[in-house]
Amino acid sequence: MSKYIITGGYKLDGSVAVDCAKNAYLPILAGTIMCEEQVILRNCPKFVDVLNMCKILEKLNMKVVFQDDAVVINGENANPNFVPVEVAKLLRSSIFTLGAMLARFKRARVAYPGGCDIGLRPINLHLKGLRDMGVKITESHGVINCDASNLHGGKVVLDYPSVGATENLMMCAVLGKEHITILNGAREPEIADLANFLNLMGAKIYGAGTSTIEIDGVDRLYGVEYTPIGDRIIAGTYLIAGAITGGQIEVTNCNPHFFASLIDKLHNSGCVLRVKSDKIYLKSPKVLKSVGFVETQSYPGFPTDLQAQILALQTVSRGCCVIQENLFESRFKFVPELIKMGANVRAKERTAVVEGVPFLSGAEVYAKDLRGGASLVLAGLNAHGYTTVNDIHHIERGYCDLNVVLNNLGASIKKVI
Ligand code: EPZ
């Protein structure tokens, strides 16, 4: 298993462009299933999850070619092959193929999805929403069998603004003759980006990015070129890397409006920030202040995907901080690893209490999931001495060459395969 060996104590200083958003690229890749023509997606990030999603498209007999910075996809000969557990379990986003396949082929067979082990991650909201649209669904032996030959229009209400369920239902309604209204939809920027991509291909989706989304089914979609938005979670991770090392950093290719909640917390911690429409600059204070309280919410609240990273920052911020994780039931698995590094954290169920210490100390730690693993890297940047972060395959699902990026900013990280 690969690992990072981090020599802590170096201040980061420099500018970095973030990759395209993993959580935009993944549903957009699923959306290409609905198009019978060539689609070119630019700035393709080589996250493991993106590569695995492309494997699923190939399982559906689609052509996928990586060309320079782009991925070229042709779904002319796509068919609704079974998405087996071997690939479905590799990532949560395999479930997004359901909506896209039902839109184009009116049938789909997909094994239950995988994803970071941060909670139960049921798909009941996806299935209830599809059933409310008239999709007939049976589940047996871990496989979901769907028949959308009797898809009907009308209103679908989500009990909770699930990101994935909103994207799945939106895609299922794109082709056909029905008008579907999704109420209590998620408002994440990645959903608006998916809708922008689909509308460029000829879809008729209105209101994406708000909690009420209207879709008018169309006959077909047309090939396009598209560049998804920058990754706001990676942008936030880099900003926190600048703060936790006492350095300064400029992050480009991002829209700071999409992570305003983090910017507010970084202000409260004493950082100086200069915000532009497509980039942001941060200078860390000499002594970081605790931000007091962080509560994860669906967008535009504080993102759960930045909870681990801001918790790492709080371990070396003066004062006490309470962190409430409202979205996932086991998203503190990285906390025992931080405690090995001298962090003063007490976590129970969905609440963590963090007492800041002057600095962390290097240790042998283990990544358990994507964002928790990233937070261990951030802690290692601050720690005195050497930190070995093991099982970095978790991190590589959502960060490309994190060691290279951070070393270019002044860190000292060695990757050992
Ligand atoms: C998306 O996951 C993201 N993944 C996650 O990012 C992110 O943490 C999450 O949204 C919340 O923002 C992708 O976009 C690929 P949800 P998703 O459905 O769609 C419950 C990362 O680190 N729920 O909004 O799975 C669920 O258990 C990943 O990049 C149901 O109960 O998230 C959770 O408690 C991690 N039933 C809450 O809703 C359902 O049918 C939010 O889940 C679906 C969800």
Side-chain angles (χ1 to χ4, degrees), residues 3 19 40 54 192 224 229 240 279 311 316 376 400:
K3 56 190 174 186
D19 293 301
I40 300 174
C54 290
V224 294
I229 56 173
I240 293 172
K279 60 185 170 185
L311 192 153
V316 289
L376 298 179
C400 268

Side-chain angles (χ1 to χ4, degrees), residues 4-10 245 340-342 359-365 376-389 411-414:
Y4 288 143
I5 300 175
I6 305 168
T7 309
Y10 291 94
T245 59
K340 288 179 191 171
M341 300 175 71
F359 55 84
L360 298 172
S361 53
E364 186 92 18
V365 293
L376 298 179
V377 173
L378 297 176
L381 295 176
N382 171 279
H384 289 193
Y386 300 104
T387 298
T388 300
V389 180
S412 171
I413 304 176
K414 200 167 133 217

Side-chain angles (χ1 to χ4, degrees), residues 22-23 26-27 92-93 96 116 118 120-126 160-165 167 188 232 304-305 326-329 331 350 370-371:
K22 168 177 82 78
N23 293 349
L26 293 171
R92 174 77 175 175
S93 307
F96 296 159
C116 276
I118 53 179
L120 291 173
R121 307 196 78 181
I123 56 169
N124 60 308
L125 298 176
H126 296 247
Y160 174 85
S162 152
V163 171
E167 291 166 339
E188 273 69 3
R232 61 194 170 102
T304 177
D305 293 346
N326 290 319
L327 274 78
F328 292 104
E329 53 272 40
R331 206 162 196 178
R350 291 178 180 246
L370 166 55
R371 307 302 176 184

Side-chain angles (χ1 to χ4, degrees), residues 134-165:
V135 178
K136 287 191 181 45
I137 300 175
T138 56
E139 298 165 71
S140 62
H141 309 294
V143 174
I144 304 152
N145 300 287
C146 297
D147 170 0
S149 48
N150 295 319
L151 200 75
H152 55 64
K155 282 186 175 43
V156 180
V157 187
L158 280 172
D159 294 342
Y160 174 85
S162 152
V163 171

